[in-house]
Amino acid sequence: MKITTDKDRVVIFDTTLRDGEQSPGATMTHEEKLEIAELLDDMGVDIIEAGFPIASEGDFKAVSEIAERSKTAVICGLARANFGDIDRCWDAVKNSENPRIHTFIGTSPLHRAIPNLDKDQMAQKIHDTVTHARNLCGNIQWSPMDATRTEHDYLCRVVEIAIKAGATTINIPDTVGYTAPLESADLIKMLIDKVPGADEVVFATHCHNDLGMATANSLAAVEGGARQIECTINGLGERAGNTALEEVVMALKVRGDIMPFYTNINTSKIMNISRRVASVSGFPVQFNKAIVGKNAFAHESGIHQDGMLKNSETFEIMRPEDVGLSATNLVLGKHSGRAALRSKLQDLGYNLADNQLKDVFVRFKELADRKKEVYDEDLIALMQAGEDAANDHIVLNELRVICGTTGPQEAAMKLTIGGEESSTTATGDGPVDATFNAVKSLYEHNAHLQLYQVHAVTEGTDAQATVSVRMEEDGNIATGQSADTDTVVASAKAYINALNRLFIRRGRTGQNKREVNWKDVS
Ligand code: KIV
Ligand code: ZN
């Protein structure tokens, strides 16, 4: 086996809070961003791209606070190629122990046409903006957006300019998920071979998953000489998403025999952060997703189970514990006490303060009264469900639904809105439609339903349902979640949770992140 040295260390750059959060519908609250940043830092992520500070007041505040709180990770902010963006980015990251400015411009023919710059004008802009950034901060990352569709000679030229102007990391984005593994490796190799000064900087790879090749392309780029992988938890990101952190990290760990590289990631923290990101983003993990999917370590067929009992390596290339899946299968029930609940939650990655545990214990008892056996999945759903906060604007007090083989179905509902209780009865095509109509008649709003999703947490007819509801109102998007053994109640609560989130967002000014034109570089 090849001994790994520092040149074999692959730096992990996580962009869940920037590229991931940019994905329509994945918007996180300020507190959620702080929590995810802390988890990323604890897991050993080297660089956290915390946001796009010029995009909104909210993004700026989140990046600044993450920068102030970070322990070990470098905190990075994104900036387009103009002085205003770069200055704003620096203001947001400068209080970090280890700040980085990441500035970018689209260099492919299609992207050059947008600001209407010719090759020389763009080269000059790259020189000026990277120089400006470097005068503010010693750690500069520069990205030629859509690099994989940029002419090679022009790419070499602009990478050289950025290095000479002071960039310390050169990131090569496959912005539209167009490249393939061999090409990805060759591109990095070509740049390292041809560009003067290339050995002075770190090359990074940033892949999107439009053709399902992001992980393979990222690993190939490492073979080609890249030593930074940009990725997100659960592969969150626009369209088909970004490279999934858990996939590249575990691939490097499990196949060190053919890919002699290593990362600093504590892989036992992967499952917990995956669940938190799924919960706060409202993007559930597909069941058969590599590494973090519900079925990734499940062996159901008889032949597999037999093999697993004899020797787990028969069908398992990694152990569930390696990614933080609890090995114990202790099932809780209505007689379980607070200590058992605390210990189980700790196993699942939730370390609660006494007052938080008190609140969760009440909800756990309510669930255990309705459901004989409370499994790990039930507890995770309980923790992830949008909690009814005492100061919620809209609160569900009562719901009764009448169903029948012939419609319409009917929902009778009582809500407290802004402290005042009101009630109504509404009909609809099915119980959920009737319930949502009842909410709408009590609380008029212009928000559009973008997504309604139901998952059964466990097997059995008493299983909890987790429901996600995504709503859009004037460009603001909010996802609400809830879990309940009654699917219609979970649906009502998730819908109300989304409306409460929109209500909070509407109350804040300057939080509309769509105000920035991504392509505006002048
Ligand atoms: O995909 C992309 O090109 C990006 C850049 C901003 C690096 O996210
Ligand atoms: Zn991207």
Side-chain angles (χ1 to χ4, degrees):
M1 185 193 280
K2 192 172 164 192
I3 307 292
T4 49
T5 63
D6 251 356
K7 70 178 178 26
D8 300 320
R9 155 101 187 266
V10 175
V11 166
I12 295 295
F13 176 109
D14 182 278
T15 184
T16 305
L17 296 173
R18 199 279 297 167
D19 216 332
E21 211 251 352
Q22 207 170 293
S23 158
T27 325
M28 301 174 198
T29 65
H30 184 76
E31 288 66 32
E32 288 164 349
K33 289 182 191 172
L34 299 185
E35 184 200 340
I36 298 299
E38 195 178 337
L39 293 173
L40 291 168
D41 208 347
D42 285 347
M43 185 171 65
V45 161
D46 300 284
I47 303 149
I48 299 172
E49 187 163 52
F52 188 13
I54 197 87
S56 68
E57 202 46 44
D59 260 42
F60 180 84
K61 282 199 191 122
V63 179
S64 318
E65 208 167 324
I66 291 169
E68 275 157 25
R69 290 178 176 211
S70 62
K71 293 181 212 137
T72 359
V74 170
I75 302 301
C76 174
L78 184 70
R80 291 165 301 178
N82 67 65
F83 290 5
D85 269 40
I86 292 170
D87 291 346
R88 188 78 172 144
C89 180
W90 174 238
D91 276 347
V93 296
K94 68 181 177 202
N95 289 331
S96 160
E97 290 277 318
N98 302 299
R100 172 181 289 194
I101 296 174
H102 175 193
T103 180
F104 73 97
I105 194 165
T107 51
S108 66
L110 283 166
H111 281 265
R112 287 199 304 267
I114 296 167
N116 200 16
L117 296 177
D118 67 24
K119 285 183 174 175
D120 292 339
Q121 288 167 324
M122 180 163 285
Q124 185 63 46
K125 187 175 262 300
I126 292 165
H127 169 268
D128 295 349
T129 49
V130 176
T131 305
H132 181 75
R134 183 58 199 253
N135 285 336
L136 297 169
C137 177
N139 189 342
I140 301 301
Q141 171 164 328
W142 180 73
S143 296
M145 186 161 76
D146 206 14
T148 52
R149 294 193 298 169
T150 300
E151 308 91 320
H152 283 191
D153 57 343
Y154 189 59
L155 190 61
C156 288
R157 178 178 165 198
V158 288
V159 167
E160 184 181 349
I161 289 171
I163 295 174
K164 284 206 175 115
T168 43
T169 296
I170 300 291
N171 174 39
I172 302 300
D174 182 29
T175 306
V176 290
Y178 179 69
T179 198
L182 294 179
E183 189 181 65
S184 173
D186 286 349
L187 184 62
I188 301 285
K189 199 166 173 318
M190 184 275 293
L191 289 166
I192 293 175
D193 288 346
K194 286 204 177 151
V195 175
D199 48 351
E200 304 291 316
V201 298
V202 172
F203 275 85
T205 177
H206 175 113
C207 297
H208 282 264
N209 202 29
D210 299 65
L211 292 173
M213 292 194 280
T215 295
N217 289 337
S218 302
L219 294 171
V222 171
E223 298 281 2
R227 287 296 176 271
Q228 176 178 304
I229 296 181
E230 307 210 353
C231 45
T232 58
I233 302 293
N234 300 338
L236 195 68
E238 271 189 282
R239 308 185 310 278
N242 289 67
T243 300
L245 179 146
E246 62 278 8
E247 293 179 13
V248 283
V249 166
M250 289 312 289
L252 291 176
K253 184 168 171 154
V254 173
R255 295 313 311 271
D257 55 334
I258 55 161
M259 293 182 284
F261 309 103
Y262 67 100
T263 73
N264 202 26
I265 299 296
N266 176 350
T267 62
S268 70
K269 307 230 170 188
I270 284 178
M271 243 5 255
N272 179 36
I273 193 162
S274 161
R275 287 175 185 140
R276 287 305 294 143
V277 168
S279 166
V280 301
S281 67
F283 276 57
V285 175
Q286 84 194 48
F287 282 6
N288 57 343
K289 162 87 179 61
I291 318 293
V292 292
K294 188 173 184 263
N295 291 356
F297 291 91
H299 300 272
E300 298 231 339
S301 81
I303 189 162
H304 278 215
Q305 285 180 349
D306 186 48
M308 286 294 294
L309 289 173
K310 289 185 179 129
N311 177 359
S312 65
E313 282 180 24
T314 323
F315 287 105
E316 246 172 30
I317 55 168
M318 49 198 157
R319 293 171 311 156
E321 307 88 274
D322 294 342
V323 298
L325 262 179
S326 142
T328 65
N329 236 340
L330 180 70
V331 178
L332 301 185
K334 69 175 178 187
H335 299 299
S336 305
R338 211 173 286 205
L341 179 66
R342 183 194 287 279
S343 142
K344 188 64 174 169
L345 287 173
Q346 270 166 355
D347 278 353
L348 295 173
Y350 296 98
N351 290 309
L352 302 187
D354 286 347
N355 60 332
Q356 289 171 309
L357 183 71
K358 209 169 136 195
D359 168 58
V360 174
F361 190 65
V362 173
R363 293 197 284 137
F364 159 73
K365 282 285 176 185
E366 278 166 15
L367 176 64
D369 270 342
R370 280 179 286 147
K371 200 172 181 296
K372 225 169 75 204
E373 291 175 318
V374 179
Y375 297 96
D376 290 3
E377 290 86 348
D378 288 314
L379 290 175
I380 293 162
L382 192 81
M383 296 303 295
Q384 294 185 343
E387 288 162 38
D388 309 319
N391 53 356
D392 269 351
H393 183 62
I394 315 165
V395 179
L396 176 69
N397 297 340
E398 210 177 295
L399 173 64
R400 261 170 215 292
V401 178
I402 301 171
C403 292
T405 45
T406 51
Q409 280 66 27
E410 197 179 284
M413 176 178 284
K414 268 191 199 152
L415 294 182
T416 298
I417 303 169
E420 273 182 36
E421 193 178 71
S422 45
S423 57
T424 194
T425 301
T427 54
D429 287 332
V432 175
D433 193 44
T435 301
F436 285 14
N437 285 341
V439 176
K440 263 184 257 166
S441 83
L442 290 173
Y443 179 74
E444 277 181 36
H445 57 83
N446 295 321
H448 303 285
L449 182 71
Q450 285 195 330
L451 174 100
Y452 167 71
Q453 214 160 237
V454 185
H455 283 294
V457 174
T458 54
E459 287 79 34
T461 48
D462 67 345
Q464 285 196 95
T466 54
V467 178
S468 299
V469 170
R470 191 159 80 215
M471 310 280 295
E472 186 272 339
E473 184 187 56
D474 301 331
N476 275 320
I477 295 174
T479 302
Q481 293 193 327
S482 193
D484 200 283
T485 48
D486 185 319
T487 309
V488 185
V489 171
S491 303
K493 285 187 172 172
Y495 187 49
I496 290 170
N497 188 227
L499 290 174
N500 277 324
R501 284 173 164 233
L502 280 175
F503 179 79
I504 295 170
R505 221 158 276 171
R506 221 178 300 132
R508 294 186 197 145
T509 49
Q511 289 248 355
N512 188 347
K513 47 192 300 136
R514 313 287 160 213
E515 69 207 27
V516 160
N517 181 355
W518 185 245
K519 276 123 196 160
D520 172 16
V521 291
S522 53

